[in-house]
Each structure stands twice: as C-alpha cells, then as structure tokens.
Amino acid sequence: MSHDIEQSLSAGESGPQRTRRILDSMGETLERGEVPIEILNDEDIYQRELTEIFGQAWVYVGHESEVPEPGDYRQRTIGEDPFVFVRDEHGKIRVLFNSCRHRGANICRAEKGNTTHFRCPYHGWTYQNTGDLVGVPQKGAGFDHLEAEEHGLREAPHVDTYNGLVFACIAPEAPSLEEYLGGATWYLDMYFDLIDMEVVGDPQRWVVDADWKTPTENFYGDNYHVPMGHKSAIDVGIGSETATGEEESKLYGIADCDGHAFSIYQIESEKPMFWGHPERVVETFNHDALDDDQYEVARKSGVTLGTIFPNLSFIFLGGRDDPNKDPVGTFCLRQWQPRGPGEMEAWNWILAPTDAPDEYKERVYEVGMSTFSAAGNFEPDDIGIWDGIDEAAGSVFAEQTEATTLFTMGRGENTAATVDDDWAGPGTAYANGGVTDENQLDFYRKWHETMTTEGAE
Amino acid sequence: MQDELERRRTLRLECEEFLYHAAELLDDRRLSDWHDLVTEDIEYRVPIRTTRERSSNTEFSEEAFHMKEDWGTLKVRTERMSSDFAWSEDPPSRTRRQVSNVRVIDYTDDEIELKSNLVIVRSRKAETDPDILSMERHDTFRREEDGYVPDWSEGGGLKLARRTVLLDHTVIPTDSLSIIL
Ligand code: FES
Ligand SMILES: [Fe+2]
C-alpha cells in the first residue's frame, strides 16, 4: 500500500497512527478554538493518558482529615493504579503501592481502617504502616538471603500536602507541588488557608458513562450550561443566590493560570458573602491568612468552581436542599477517575469548616449531597447530558471527518468577555466569564502539552 | 396463638401490598403520588457503604449518605425529577423494582417495623445491559388516615415514616441516582 493511499484511508489507521495524527495537529486545532472529539473515546489515547498524564502529573490522593490518626489508611487510585494513603506510626503521610513485594497480592484489602501493619494474605509477608518489611514466614529456612530493608513496599516517590490537600506524583522526577500548582495557590488559599476544612465521612463513588475529560472540561468553567442544563433544579427553587438572580453578580473566568482554572462569582455588596457561609461560621475563619486582595475576593464570593490539572475539581456554593431552609456554604471536592476510554468513576468528598458547630457541618453535608453528587439535584442532569458524547467520540464518522468540539465563545469582535486588567490574582481574568471558553481551552492546552512533552513515548 | 398467627399474616400481607403499590408508583413515574405516602416527619436515608474488614462494627457510614431526606427535600426531588428539564430522567430511565423477603420485625397498633429486599433493574436508551441495584430496606410504616389502604383491609391507611436503605454497593453501579430507592 503506497503512503498516499494509507493516508487517505484514515479510518484504517492504527491506534498509534491515529494518536500521532491527532496530537500533531492539535496545536493548530486548539488555536482555532477547537478540540478533536476523538480524544474523548480512544483506546490508544487513553493508554497514553495513563502513562503521560496520570503517570507524570501531581494527582490528588486525599485530604489529611481522612487519615487523622497514626495508622489510619484509605485505599486510593492514581489513574487506575492501586495505592494506600496512610498516616504511618510516626505521623508521616505516605502513599504506598498496594502490591506485595513477593508476588504482587494486595496487602490492603479494606477501603479504610486503622492498622499498625499490613499482612499479605498470600504467604504472610508483613509490612509496617511505614511500608517496611518486618516479617517473612520461614525466613531462616527459605529466605535467609533476602534483605528485608530492600523489600519494603514501593511508594509514590513524591508526596506533598498543600493546606490539607495531599497529592502524589509517581514519576521519578517531578517539580515541587507548589511549583506545579503555580498561580492556583493564590486561589486555593482562599478556600483552604482562610478556612480550616475537613472531609465529612466517606466519599461518594459512582460510575459514569463519560470520559474523565468531559466533566473536567466542564469544571474548568463551563458557565454557559447552567441556565439550560440545571433548569430543573433552579425551577424548584434550590439554585444559589446567583443562579436564581437573587443577587447581582459578576462572573470572572480565570484562564492562563499554570494549567488550572477557576470561575468566581463576585457579588458587590456591603454584606460579606463568603460562599454563603453565615456570620457565625465566618467568625471561625483565619482572617489573617490572606492578603487584602485575596480577602476582598473571598468576601465577595458567591459560587466558585475550578479544576487542578488533571482531574481534581471543586464547587463551593451557598446552596440548599429545600427552598424553605436556610442556605449554607458547601464545598464539594470531586475527582474524575479514569476507568477506560469513555468511562470513569466519580468521587465526591464534601468538606465543612472544621471549627463550625456540628449541626452546621451536618447541614453542609446534606446540602452538598443534595446538589452535587450521584443523587444530587444538579449533577445527575450534567451526567444525563454527557452520556452519548463518548459514542460520538468513538465513531467512525468522527474519525473520517476529524470532528471537533467548539470552544470559540467570546472570540468575536463584540464579545462581552473582556480581560479585566485590574484583577488582583494570577492568570487572566475574563469579566463576563460566562461567555468565554478560554478557561476551558486551558484544560486541553495543558492536556496536549502534557501528552506531547519531550520524553513522552 | 392462632390469633397472633392470623394477625402476623395480615400484617405481612398489608405491608407487602403497600411495598408493591409504592414500587408500582415509582416504576410508573408517579412520583408525587409516591410522595403523598410519606409522613411529614419521614426520615429517609441511604448511607454510604465501604469495604471493611470483617472485624469492623459496620460497613455503613453514620455521617455520609447518598440520600438523607425529609419530607421537604423529598418533595424537591420528586418535583424536580418530574420536570421536563430534568435531563437525567428525560427521556426517563426504565425501572423495574422486585420486592421480596418481607419480614415484619415488630409492631404496635400505630407502627410496623419491617425489612425487605429490593432489586432494581434499570435501563436507558437502547442499552441491553441493564444496571442492577441491590439492597435491603429497613422501614417503619405508620397508620395514618390518608395513607394507603389495600381494598380488602379494614385497618387504617399506611404511610412510610422511616426508611434506611442498605446498599450492596460501595460504588453506585449506575450513572446517577435520579430515582427513589
Ligand atoms: S504475595 Fe505477599 S506474601 Fe507472597
Ligand atoms: Fe453542571
């Protein structure tokens, strides 16, 4: 088959050929404000994401409050890889590979618990919660040559915490977490430094028929979909004060922020907003933690959402589960776990201010659960809409036509989405952030950059 | 003894018919009719389950739930799910609830405490592989004037006053819980 014929038969290209075609042309595609839809359901792209994105980036593992005591552990995944997130007996947080050094069996089989040791059920090798190998049955008789010090559990080489959020990077070389987060720290400080937060209970987990990039793209700031996508919830009276129009607000879309993005509603009011937290809760915040500019943004904040690359999103909103109840500030932290091309598992943690009264934390949980969760009044409608994108993405026709999705909102001459030069935080702030796609494009720019970085093969 | 046996039989039959009726309302998407059958002080909970060691006291969270509802929040949900803009249920998913193993645990003149098993088979679009949700439910039914009364019954109506749904899943095996369990 001549080269030309092979080129023209794009539907017949092999997985790696297709990947190369997509990645090679994607820089240009992105400049046009488009994204190849094929990347949302392709086996070869997916495998490459596991190695080049989840195998290279700092990936969220859990919150410190999930393992408060020495010996506390939780099973977690980085990409699809099994790890144990544990606080060891010295209080140090570790991310241990959940696989025995002997023959690979899972050494930890419960989702959570507290233990001083992990004992492998296969042949009984025993590891301390530090990962050190401390017991090998019949060692003298059969393993007298084995150096126990060299056979501790493997662990993620880079583990670090930012204001309670624990991330790990499994690549041999990594920038520091702070460098990786870059400008995003200015924003994260508003939520996690101003407020000491803790996870309430266990994360909700559920399967979703969509690629992990679809909700990620949405949480990079698809503020355009709210009136249509969430009409049913807004109609029954449980939208935030900004969604229902109770409060006048300005929406800022933050792009160009080291690969992460935020959307921030600002409410001009004498009244402190703080995402819907009432005064008695705001009193418990660390008011000196922020500089004046950050503090002012926090004070005026209504709904805020964002995503840390690759797959950690959050939404912070003043919401309610019943129009007859008071709204509370609730924080839903979510991770879109890759589980195959066009498939994922959603994880949702609800966080409450640590120093708030117990009865308030309970309300924070109830409202988070009732808005953004598998059974929430908002999220299922997103998911119902996304179901089907993966089929289009994986279609022959998408490949034949090199079909794209469109992110050119706000690029026209008369656009209302203008850059606000007075914005105090890092990144580029688009006023009228509901009509720009630049923040969402950042996800795919970062994705493309990461997938094509030197050494990625 | 004979009386007690007869009473238990009648009670169980009454409970079964109430469960079947409620399942029919939900399968037929008559959500507001279903909501009419919950008491004003209803406590409805679906705690999160985690895989734990056998020695742990419970696998169910006391703090974290998929649903933790009262009369008002159930009203919000049932109204929203019936909306033409609830994209998760329009087109609606098709559900078939199989109720079984009904066990009356305890009863007074006013209340009946029972357990039952439930399997929901849920399909969407042209899928031929339905999602299967499996669970046990601990319910308390209460006698109320405007509750459900089977044709043959001479007792008062029944309403659902408390429900705890114990899922067999740690990961919800369906796209969203935009249905009532
Ligand atoms: S596999 Fe763990 S002890 Fe053999
Ligand atoms: Fe949404």
Side-chain angles (χ1 to χ4, degrees):
Chain A
M1 196 181 277
S2 83
H3 183 74
D4 276 13
I5 294 173
E6 200 171 274
Q7 287 272 305
S8 67
L9 285 178
S10 74
E13 60 194 349
S14 71
Q17 279 171 334
R18 183 186 192 184
T19 303
R20 199 165 318 124
R21 164 176 61 79
I22 293 170
L23 293 180
D24 282 353
S25 58
M26 195 164 156
E28 240 173 87
T29 318
L30 282 168
E31 261 170 52
R32 290 202 311 272
E34 293 176 36
V35 173
I37 194 172
E38 294 168 81
I39 66 171
L40 297 176
N41 186 356
D42 180 84
E43 182 61 42
D44 192 64
I45 292 270
Y46 178 75
Q47 290 305 330
R48 195 176 169 108
E49 285 175 338
L50 291 182
T51 54
E52 304 312 327
I53 293 180
F54 294 96
Q56 297 291 329
W58 281 93
V59 178
Y60 184 68
V61 170
H63 192 266
E64 274 185 332
S65 64
E66 293 183 279
V67 288
E69 302 297 330
D72 284 350
Y73 68 86
R74 302 260 180 178
Q75 277 195 39
R76 291 291 141 91
T77 54
I78 296 177
E80 292 199 52
D81 300 355
F83 285 89
V84 186
F85 167 45
V86 59
R87 189 181 290 272
D88 76 16
E89 61 197 39
H90 313 295
K92 182 176 173 189
I93 286 182
R94 295 176 180 272
V95 179
L96 306 172
F97 191 41
N98 189 6
S99 176
C100 182
R101 287 297 300 273
H102 182 222
R103 297 287 166 79
N106 285 151
I107 47 90
C108 172
R109 305 195 309 149
E111 230 173 303
K112 64 170 191 175
N114 180 285
T115 192
T116 54
H117 292 82
F118 295 103
R119 192 176 64 202
C120 180
Y122 201 171
H123 311 90
W125 285 26
T126 303
Y127 305 87
Q128 267 181 332
N129 57 20
T130 53
D132 293 330
L133 177 64
V134 292
V136 174
Q138 303 189 63
K139 184 163 191 317
F143 269 121
D144 59 330
H145 56 287
L146 185 92
E147 302 282 357
E149 308 79 67
E150 284 164 25
H151 289 81
L153 291 171
R154 297 181 202 278
E155 59 184 316
H158 312 280
V159 177
D160 202 358
T161 302
Y162 193 81
N163 285 331
L165 304 166
V166 182
F167 294 80
C169 171
I170 62 172
E173 305 289 335
S176 72
L177 176 62
E178 239 182 285
E179 205 180 311
Y180 178 84
L181 293 172
T185 57
W186 194 88
Y187 298 95
L188 290 177
D189 288 347
M190 281 194 277
Y191 325 122
F192 293 103
D193 202 6
L194 174 67
I195 314 173
D196 292 325
M197 291 222 257
E198 64 184 23
V199 168
V200 182
D202 303 308
Q204 300 166 311
R205 302 171 58 184
W206 73 104
V207 297
V208 178
D209 251 338
D211 193 82
W212 69 273
K213 294 187 288 306
T214 295
T216 305
E217 159 200 313
N218 178 279
F219 273 82
Y220 260 72
D222 187 321
N223 302 303
Y224 184 35
H225 82 292
V226 177
M228 182 68 176
H230 297 298
K231 183 165 163 50
S232 71
I234 295 165
D235 284 354
V236 291
I238 54 165
S240 65
E241 59 290 87
T242 46
T244 53
E246 269 167 66
E247 295 278 359
E248 281 276 321
S249 62
K250 276 195 194 158
L251 170 57
Y252 291 90
I254 312 297
D256 202 11
C257 189
D258 299 306
H260 318 294
F262 300 87
S263 295
I264 301 175
Y265 283 88
Q266 292 281 279
I267 298 166
E268 294 295 341
S269 160
E270 283 308 300
K271 193 172 104 195
M273 300 311 296
F274 291 110
W275 311 276
H277 282 300
E279 206 181 315
R280 68 195 167 104
V281 174
V282 171
E283 276 169 14
T284 68
F285 294 175
N286 308 314
H287 295 270
D288 300 331
L290 304 181
D291 70 31
D292 291 351
D293 291 328
Q294 279 171 307
Y295 191 82
E296 193 53 12
V297 173
R299 193 187 66 79
K300 293 196 284 192
S301 282
V303 179
T304 300
L305 55 94
T307 298
I308 301 298
F309 187 85
N311 67 337
L312 181 71
S313 299
F314 73 90
I315 181 161
F316 196 178
L317 79 161
R320 55 193 144 197
D321 46 2
D322 181 337
N324 299 312
K325 292 184 196 167
D326 290 335
V328 298
T330 191
F331 194 101
C332 299
L333 187 68
R334 44 261 326 289
Q335 195 169 22
W336 318 107
Q337 308 279 15
R339 290 295 178 264
E343 276 168 54
M344 64 157 186
E345 189 181 309
W347 286 55
N348 185 42
W349 295 262
I350 297 167
L351 289 93
T354 308
D355 300 320
D358 285 347
E359 115 292 322
Y360 184 79
K361 291 184 198 176
E362 210 177 316
R363 286 295 296 145
V364 168
Y365 189 88
E366 289 167 9
V367 170
M369 173 201 76
S370 297
T371 47
F372 287 87
S373 81
N377 285 302
F378 284 80
E379 191 134 40
D381 283 350
D382 289 314
I383 289 168
I385 295 163
W386 296 332
D387 177 20
I389 295 177
D390 58 319
E391 283 165 27
S395 67
V396 172
F397 190 67
E399 187 177 357
Q400 284 173 340
T401 54
E402 299 186 19
T404 54
T405 54
L406 193 68
F407 292 82
T408 57
M409 196 180 201
R411 286 196 173 183
E413 259 169 44
N414 301 315
T415 180
T418 48
V419 173
D420 183 338
D421 293 319
D422 295 333
W423 181 257
T428 304
Y430 288 84
N432 283 308
V435 292
T436 180
D437 283 333
E438 291 307 314
N439 45 355
Q440 292 193 273
L441 269 174
D442 272 352
F443 169 52
Y444 287 112
R445 289 190 191 108
K446 179 80 176 174
W447 182 90
H448 181 236
E449 180 194 311
T450 311
M451 290 283 275
T452 52
T453 296
E454 195 68 14
E457 213 30 76
Chain B
M1 184 60 208
Q2 204 52 40
D3 278 3
E4 173 62 13
L5 192 65
E6 194 45 44
R7 173 140 175 79
R8 281 200 154 249
R9 272 206 188 113
T10 316
L11 267 182
R12 200 181 72 201
L13 188 64
E14 217 182 339
C15 289
E16 280 173 348
E17 295 204 9
F18 181 45
L19 288 169
Y20 296 158
H21 176 69
E24 179 177 338
L25 292 178
L26 294 175
D27 286 342
D28 290 349
R29 304 168 194 147
R30 292 167 56 196
L31 298 180
S32 115
D33 292 341
W34 178 86
H35 188 260
D36 287 344
L37 295 179
V38 306
T39 63
E40 271 173 38
D41 63 347
I42 182 160
E43 280 178 35
Y44 178 108
R45 294 176 174 206
V46 186
I48 286 178
R49 188 169 198 164
T50 45
T51 306
R52 305 295 307 272
E53 285 177 335
R54 190 177 288 275
S55 57
S56 81
N57 307 331
T58 178
E59 296 168 25
F60 294 96
S61 177
E62 280 165 17
E63 296 170 288
F65 302 84
H66 293 293
M67 293 174 77
K68 181 175 174 226
E69 309 299 306
D70 58 23
W71 187 90
T73 61
L74 282 171
K75 184 157 179 63
V76 166
R77 279 174 192 281
T78 49
E79 271 180 19
R80 191 192 70 77
M81 289 174 198
S82 310
S83 148
D84 288 344
F85 296 95
W87 309 114
S88 55
E89 288 299 325
D90 194 10
S93 58
R94 296 171 291 271
T95 57
R96 192 61 55 203
R97 289 169 173 76
Q98 317 290 340
V99 182
S100 70
N101 303 52
V102 177
R103 290 146 282 168
V104 173
I105 306 297
D106 202 3
Y107 61 88
T108 62
D109 284 347
D110 294 333
E111 291 195 339
I112 313 165
E113 210 186 303
L114 67 148
K115 294 185 187 178
S116 63
N117 294 359
L118 175 68
V119 172
I120 306 180
V121 180
R122 186 187 198 204
S123 316
R124 287 177 190 274
K125 307 198 299 184
E127 285 166 5
T128 49
D129 238 353
D131 297 335
I132 293 175
L133 291 156
S134 158
M135 67 209 79
E136 182 178 71
R137 297 186 297 186
H138 292 200
D139 291 346
T140 301
F141 295 164
R142 189 183 303 145
R143 301 223 174 263
E144 282 196 14
E145 195 77 6
D146 55 343
Y148 170 73
V149 193
D151 297 341
W152 50 268
S153 170
E154 285 150 21
L158 285 180
K159 281 196 177 185
L160 179 64
R162 241 184 330 274
R163 168 164 289 171
T164 304
V165 179
L166 301 176
L167 289 167
D168 294 330
H169 313 283
T170 57
V171 180
I172 303 288
T174 191
D175 250 8
S176 292
L177 282 178
S178 45
I179 54 173
I180 303 279
L181 305 176

